């Protein structure tokens, strides 16, 4: 059975349809890329899947469980946006471990998991650095590590490299793909860039 099943999802804002009759499935560990221009409904589809918005019609199921009425924080999904939303008052450890603290994970386990993930994203030894001391690519890696820390069942990435210049974006594409594959997380990756979509998926 597929991990994620979206069936005939539709969502309108007023008279403007944002998503119309979308269906897709994702297998466990599969990396799916949604490609399309700005305003075509990609982000809305992620928000519906995450439970941040409610569909007008259609169903969302994960591991055979219908998610209608399941609150976003109870779904066990991760969502990484383009703006990253790193906390400037926290160091790298604080940012990577914030989701784990919210889950009540003990401090020692948070530190161990953060070290594991920082090594995975090639930032070993960066735990005590402040966000403002990091380059754009390093911030991107921290945001990815933070998204992976709670071990989400599904990770959704909304234009995660969109704020970077093309050279840095291209250098990170294969790296992000390798990390997602190594972790084995089921993932949906949204982009408007065709080359990025082909590189990721």
């Amino acid at each position: 059975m597929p991990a994620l099943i979206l069936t005939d999802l539709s969502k309108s804002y007023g008279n403007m349809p944002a998503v119309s009759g979308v269906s897709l499935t994702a297998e466990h560990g599969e990396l799916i890329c949604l490609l399309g221009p700005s305003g075509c409904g990609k982000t809305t589809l992620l928000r519906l899947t995450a439970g941040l918005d409610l569909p007008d019609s259609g169903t969302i199921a994960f591991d055979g469980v219908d998610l209608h009425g399941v609150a976003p924080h109870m779904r066990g999904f991760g969502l990484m946006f383009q703006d990253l939303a790193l906390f400037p008052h926290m160091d790298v450890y604080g940012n990577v471990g914030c989701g784990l603290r919210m889950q009540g994970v003990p401090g020692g386990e948070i530190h161990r998991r953060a070290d594991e993930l920082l090594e995975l994203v090639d930032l070993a030894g960066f735990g005590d650095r402040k966000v403002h001391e990091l380059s754009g690519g390093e911030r991107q890696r921290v945001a990815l590590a933070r998204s992976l820390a709670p071990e989400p069942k599904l990770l959704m990435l909304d234009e995660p490299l969109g704020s970077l210049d093309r050279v840095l974006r291209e250098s990170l594409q294969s790296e992000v793909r390798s990390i997602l594959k190594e972790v084995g997380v089921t993932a949906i990756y949204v982009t408007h860039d065709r080359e990025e979509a082909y590189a990721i998926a």
Side-chain angles (χ1 to χ4, degrees):
M1 171 186 287
L4 176 70
I5 302 175
L6 308 182
T7 307
D8 203 24
L9 278 186
S10 293
K11 176 69 176 179
S12 295
Y13 297 100
N15 294 323
M16 181 69 67
V19 172
S20 182
V22 173
S23 297
L24 68 80
T25 61
E27 301 293 334
H28 288 278
E30 187 175 10
L31 172 52
I32 289 178
C33 197
L34 301 180
L35 171 66
S38 297
C40 75
K42 303 184 303 297
T43 296
T44 298
L45 191 64
L46 295 189
R47 290 180 61 84
L48 293 173
T49 304
L52 300 174
D53 287 331
L54 299 177
D56 296 331
S57 61
T59 60
I60 301 164
F62 196 89
D63 279 342
V65 177
D66 188 340
L67 297 181
H68 179 74
V70 177
H73 69 281
M74 298 298 292
R75 297 188 181 200
F77 297 168
L79 186 53
M80 180 177 164
F81 292 105
Q82 177 178 333
D83 64 6
L84 305 184
L86 295 178
F87 301 114
H89 63 288
M90 293 182 182
D91 60 14
V92 169
Y93 274 132
N95 272 281
V96 173
C98 67
L100 296 173
R101 281 192 302 279
M102 290 173 65
Q103 292 178 339
V105 175
E109 176 63 17
I110 291 174
H111 206 277
R112 184 196 65 75
R113 178 80 174 139
D115 278 336
E116 270 182 13
L117 287 164
L118 289 176
E119 185 170 345
L120 177 68
V121 299
D122 202 24
L123 289 179
F126 278 63
D128 295 325
R129 299 227 187 150
K130 300 297 184 185
V131 169
H132 70 271
E133 298 174 331
L134 304 175
S135 69
E138 289 165 351
R139 289 178 188 165
Q140 201 69 39
R141 291 184 179 97
V142 171
L144 181 57
R146 182 180 66 181
S147 298
L148 292 169
E151 298 181 308
K153 296 183 288 186
L154 172 70
L155 180 59
M156 294 170 282
L157 304 100
D158 191 3
E159 303 269 7
L161 306 181
S163 63
L164 304 177
D165 64 67
R166 176 160 289 279
V167 173
L168 183 54
R169 191 162 69 238
E170 289 177 353
S171 71
L172 280 176
Q173 286 168 4
S174 60
E175 196 172 322
V176 169
R177 185 183 193 284
S178 296
I179 290 167
L180 294 175
K181 284 304 202 181
E182 182 173 342
V183 172
V185 65
T186 307
I188 301 176
Y189 189 104
V190 158
T191 181
H192 65 270
D193 185 293
R194 186 182 302 269
E195 291 181 14
E196 184 178 345
Y198 289 154
I200 293 291

